[in-house]
Amino acid sequence: MSDHEDRETFCHDPIGHAEARAGMTVGELAEGYGAAGIGANDVHEAVDIYAEMLDDDVTTFVGLAGAMVPTGMRAIVSELIRDGHVDVLVTTGANCTHDSIEAIGGKHHHGEVTPEGHTEREHDENLRDEGVDRIYNVYLPQEHFALFESHLREEVFTPLAAEGAVSIQRMTEELGRANAAVNEREDVAEDAGVLAAAYENDVPVYCPAFQDSVLGLQAWMYSQTSDFTVDALADMTDITDIAYEADSAGAFLVGGGVPKNYVLQTMLVSPDAYDYAVQLTMDPSNTGGLSGATLEEARSWGKLEKDARNVSVYADATITLPLVVAAARERVGE
C-alpha cells in the first residue's frame, strides 16, 4: 500500500454485501443496499434523501407522470397526501382521469401484452373489437370512460361553468370534491383516491398538460356548448408563490415529461432552488430530452441549489416508488 500513498481520487471504502433474508423489513433491505453498488446504492441514497424531505419544514413538490394510477400506485400517493407529505402535486390529465374512474366505481384489470397464439397486433385488434383499452399489461373497459364523461358533465363542469374562466387547479379541486362525494354516496368499495385526498387536505393539484387526456377532451367538448373555460396561465402565480415562500424545498419526481419540468421550473423565478431532489426514471440522458435530463443538469439552470442533495434511480417506478416510500417512512418512524 505504501506505493499508492499519493492517491487522491481513490478512498478506502470497500463494497459490502446486501442481505436478503426472511423477516427483513423494507427499511432493512434498503439499508443493506447502501453497502452495495450500482442501482442498489442509488436506491439507498434515494431513501436517505427522501426521508429528509419528509420533515415538516421541507415543502415537498411531487411530480407524478406516466401511468402510475392505472398500474396500482394510487394508494401510495393518496396516503402521502393524507399524512401531510405532499405540499404540491403536479401530474398528468391521464392520472387524473384514471384516479377519477376508480373513485366513482370503475376498475383497471390485469391483462396481457401478447397472449399465446397471437401477435401483439392481433391481440390489440381483438381488444378494439371488444371495447377494451390496453396500457401495457393493464386493461380498462371503455364503458368506464363513458361513466367518467357523465361524471364530469353532471358533477364537475356544470358548477364550474358558473364561475367564468377557472384555473386548471380549480378544476382538479372540483374534480376531487366530486370524486369524494360520489365515492361516499355510491358506497364505492375502492378508496376515493388522489384528487379526493388532495381536496380534503387542501393540497393543490396542478395539471399543466391536462388537454392531453380524456379529461382534456371532455373539457374541450363541454366548452363548445357552455360558458365553461379554463385559464391555463392562472396556476403559475400560485405554484410560483409556494416555491418563493418555501424556506426549504424538495422535488420528488416520479417519471419525467411535463410534471417533471413544471416542478423544476418553478424555481427559475424564485430567489432559491430545491435543496433536495429524487428522480425515479427509466429515461436515458443522452437523448437530450427533458424526461431523461439529469438532476445535475437541472443544477446548471438554477433549479437545484449547488449543494442540493439529489439522486436519480434508473428503474421501473412501479418497483422503486413503493420501495423508496416505504423505506423512508420506516426510517422516520411512520
Side-chain angles (χ1 to χ4, degrees), residues 262-281:
Y262 201 72
V263 167
L264 292 176
Q265 77 170 16
T266 60
M267 290 299 175
L268 292 179
V269 288
S270 173
D272 300 310
Y274 285 108
D275 302 289
Y276 306 94
V278 173
Q279 175 178 232
L280 309 179
T281 186

Side-chain angles (χ1 to χ4, degrees), residues 202-213:
D202 296 320
V203 172
V205 177
Y206 300 104
C207 188
F210 90 97
Q211 301 96 319
D212 183 29
S213 64

Side-chain angles (χ1 to χ4, degrees), residues 16 21 83 142 186 198 267 284 296 328:
R21 63 180 188 276
D83 291 338
Q142 289 180 0
E186 301 297 329
M267 290 299 175
E296 281 68 31

